[in-house]
Amino acid sequence: MHNLISYLKKYKDTFFSDMPLTEVDRAILVQLTYLNFEKTNCRAFVQVNQLINQEKLLVDGNYSPRRNKRLLRLLASSKRFSGLEIGEVESVLTEDMQYCSMTFRIDQTYFICFRGTDLSISGWKEDMCLGIYPSIPSHKKGLEYTEKIMSQYIGEYEVLGHSKGGNVALYAAIHLPVHHQNKLRSIYDFDGPGFNSDILEQEEYKRLEQRHFKYIPQDDVVGLLLNHTKNYVVVRSRSIGFLQHDLLYWKIENMKFKRTKETSVLSRVFSKTIADWLSSLTYQEKVDCFLMFDDFCKKANLTNLNQFRRSTFRSIKDMIYSCIKLSFRQKKLFTILFFRLVKYYLKASMGWFFFRKYA
């Protein structure tokens, strides 16, 4: 099997009573978080297969609209997911926060899921804040949401997410009151970045460590950012480089993600480069870098990455204009940080070369 879609094709008529929920099933739920359920009436729980007539609305503006549409159609027609319900969808998009959560229900198990970074500039800005501050706005929102669901419904619970969603899921789980933590069955973190703090060294995380399952692709960069757990599963992917971050490319074998022993040379070099580069930045440099990105986006009238896909003469002109209009100080900062990044990349690359040659 190649991916989530081929897995669902093969097992769509296999009931959970015959084959219990797998890690791949959970990844399918997480992939569904990127669909626009917030644009439908999903406050109360409703069966997902009843929303198939709104598929155009659900996939509009997604990263992979055609593949998400295929996944949705297969899921809606499957016996395996025929009882899958979705509810309590919450979404917030402001200048400083891109957040979306939803809960899937299968029998009496509640899967509290968080969306990763979407195509909005707000989402990418919030991602940058992960490397500056101990917490981001989505963390607080995710914790409030998780507590609400666990207080409101009776059953078993899991928290799940991909990319920033995996980070939010783990943050929420760690900061839950102990009585809620005790009810939490597991945390599934699909290539979520780490934290800009020592949160994983604290007792609150140690109580959950055995229930935290993290997966990263072979060419991973995102999941190894910042302070992260050293216990993770490395997954093979059909793509290369940063594109491996997409769950729809992850390979599947025998009802599980296809494992490999370690990350690739590309992943290790880039992870070392980014880690050293981030460590070299002062707090003020990080803040200035964020402000420069924010200033660039505002001058270029950028609000969504889809604007790059539909690059028109005017949008290209706006981006060139915004680069020109950056202050001398911002241009100098960009140059310094860029060449510092190149220096650490060359250092990491040469370090790996000499290690391989003389080990």
Side-chain angles (χ1 to χ4, degrees), residues 16-151:
F16 288 117
S17 57
D18 299 319
M19 185 178 86
L21 200 76
T22 68
E23 61 192 32
V24 183
D25 291 317
R26 291 175 171 92
I28 288 172
L29 297 182
V30 167
Q31 182 62 32
L32 289 176
T33 63
Y34 288 102
L35 276 61
N36 305 318
F37 288 109
E38 66 272 23
K39 295 181 180 179
T40 65
N41 185 22
C42 288
R43 289 295 299 177
F45 278 93
V46 59
Q47 289 194 342
V48 174
N49 57 20
Q50 293 177 3
L51 302 172
I52 189 64
N53 61 334
Q54 301 183 61
E55 64 175 28
K56 186 176 180 181
L57 176 68
L58 289 171
V59 303
D60 182 48
N62 289 178
Y63 280 111
S64 306
R66 283 183 294 179
R67 288 182 296 155
N68 279 325
K69 187 182 290 185
R70 288 183 65 195
L71 187 73
L72 180 62
R73 287 177 177 177
L74 281 168
L75 187 138
S77 64
S78 75
K79 294 178 182 176
R80 184 167 180 79
F81 286 98
S82 60
L84 178 66
E85 297 176 290
I86 181 173
E88 298 291 349
V89 179
E90 290 189 7
S91 179
V92 179
L93 183 63
T94 66
E95 188 175 336
D96 303 314
M97 174 169 56
Q98 171 258 313
Y99 167 88
C100 185
S101 56
M102 56 196 72
T103 300
F104 294 100
R105 182 166 64 189
I106 301 175
D107 297 327
Q108 288 303 307
T109 301
Y110 293 85
F111 300 88
I112 302 168
C113 296
F114 299 95
R115 179 182 295 168
T117 308
D118 62 14
L119 293 169
S120 68
I121 295 299
S122 295
W124 289 84
K125 284 166 56 179
E126 193 175 25
D127 286 350
M128 290 181 70
C129 290
L130 280 171
I132 304 174
Y133 307 109
S135 66
I136 56 176
S138 286
H139 284 158
K140 181 180 178 182
K141 192 73 177 171
L143 174 58
E144 291 173 353
Y145 178 85
T146 304
E147 285 194 77
K148 183 190 79 169
I149 296 300
M150 297 185 79
S151 299

Side-chain angles (χ1 to χ4, degrees), residues 187-221:
I187 305 133
Y188 277 83
D189 173 4
F190 296 97
D191 206 21
F195 300 92
N196 189 35
S197 67
D198 62 352
I199 187 173
L200 300 184
E201 301 301 320
Q202 297 172 9
E203 182 59 33
E204 289 83 355
Y205 175 70
K206 299 301 181 185
R207 290 197 295 264
L208 296 167
E209 191 169 11
Q210 298 304 312
R211 288 174 274 169
H212 177 208
F213 302 97
K214 179 164 182 159
Y215 301 79
I216 64 171
Q218 193 173 13
D219 285 353
D220 184 74
V221 176

